[in-house]
Amino acid sequence: MPALVIREARQDDLAELMRLERESFPLDAWSDTTMRRTIASPHSRMLVIDTSEPGTEPALRGYASVLAAQGSGEADVETINIDPVVRRGGWATRLLAELSTWAAERGAKQLFLEVRANGDAAIRLYESLTFEEIGRRANYYRAEGQDAIVMRASIQDVIARAEQRLIARATEPEREAMEDMQS
């Protein structure tokens, strides 16, 4: 597999984004319009995991977006989706770390999200990044009949914990490079 690179989502990623979206969320996928608007919004940032070679069509393995209006003090994880081929490789943590840093730069102090009540792996990831359950939304994912767990974390805590997790899982040369960047 070619190298995986995190980069900004572009409008020409739409077909690949929607392919991943529909594969992962067949009952309640975002519409093309919602995805397009999220990419274009000045209040959201969407990142993708790209495996394509330069000059070729996008070949995406995941994406995530955060909504953070400048100065609002809060941010919301709008979506996160990692292709099963690369899951458990730290990609969700990397995306959330970068998006949380961006949201903090826009003044966000708190980060919120909704997660399916039956999404045990996702819940464990979020808890490991310091998110705590603050409520539930009954039948939020209507097509699946699933409740949503509403979670909240301090942006700075998410960034710090994500960095710790990424350093812990890195190879020795990667770990040294990350530690050098922090000093």
Side-chain angles (χ1 to χ4, degrees), residues 66 68 73-76 96-97 99-105 107-112 129-131 152-161:
V66 166
E74 297 179 352
D76 185 58
L96 286 171
L99 291 168
S100 295
T101 299
W102 173 80
E105 290 167 357
K109 306 280 188 235
Q110 300 287 316
L111 184 58
F112 295 85
L129 293 172
T130 73
F131 282 88
R152 175 184 61 207
S154 154
I155 287 262
Q156 292 305 319
D157 289 349
V158 171
I159 294 167
R161 186 62 60 86

Side-chain angles (χ1 to χ4, degrees), residues 3-146:
L4 301 174
V5 176
I6 294 176
R7 64 165 174 80
E8 296 287 331
R10 304 180 302 244
Q11 292 297 333
D12 68 344
D13 293 325
L14 188 61
E16 271 291 284
L17 287 166
M18 293 311 301
R19 177 191 61 79
L20 281 171
E21 178 76 5
R22 290 181 181 119
E23 285 174 3
S24 296
F25 309 114
L27 298 177
D28 66 347
W30 278 16
S31 68
D32 291 31
T33 301
T34 298
M35 192 71 74
R36 188 177 298 109
R37 285 181 180 157
T38 300
I39 295 168
S41 173
H43 305 292
S44 292
R45 183 174 188 212
M46 181 176 273
L47 299 176
V48 298
I49 303 166
D50 190 350
T51 63
S52 62
E53 298 295 328
T56 64
E57 292 293 315
L60 305 183
R61 293 293 180 196
Y63 57 89
S65 72
V66 166
L67 170 67
Q70 184 71 44
S72 73
E74 297 179 352
D76 185 58
V77 176
E78 296 178 291
T79 187
I80 186 163
N81 185 7
I82 307 298
D83 189 320
V85 172
V86 297
R87 278 190 193 146
R88 306 203 53 80
W91 292 102
T93 300
R94 286 181 184 98
L95 290 170
L96 286 171
E98 192 162 332
L99 291 168
S100 295
T101 299
W102 173 80
E105 290 167 357
R106 295 176 64 81
K109 306 280 188 235
Q110 300 287 316
L111 184 58
F112 295 85
L113 60 82
E114 292 89 16
V115 61
R116 284 169 178 75
N118 66 347
D120 295 336
I123 293 166
R124 282 192 306 276
L125 168 69
Y126 299 137
E127 288 174 342
S128 77
L129 293 172
T130 73
F131 282 88
E132 297 177 337
E133 180 176 339
I134 60 167
R136 288 189 176 241
R137 294 190 172 135
N139 204 30
Y140 185 79
Y141 300 100
R142 286 187 188 97
E144 300 171 40
Q146 279 296 314

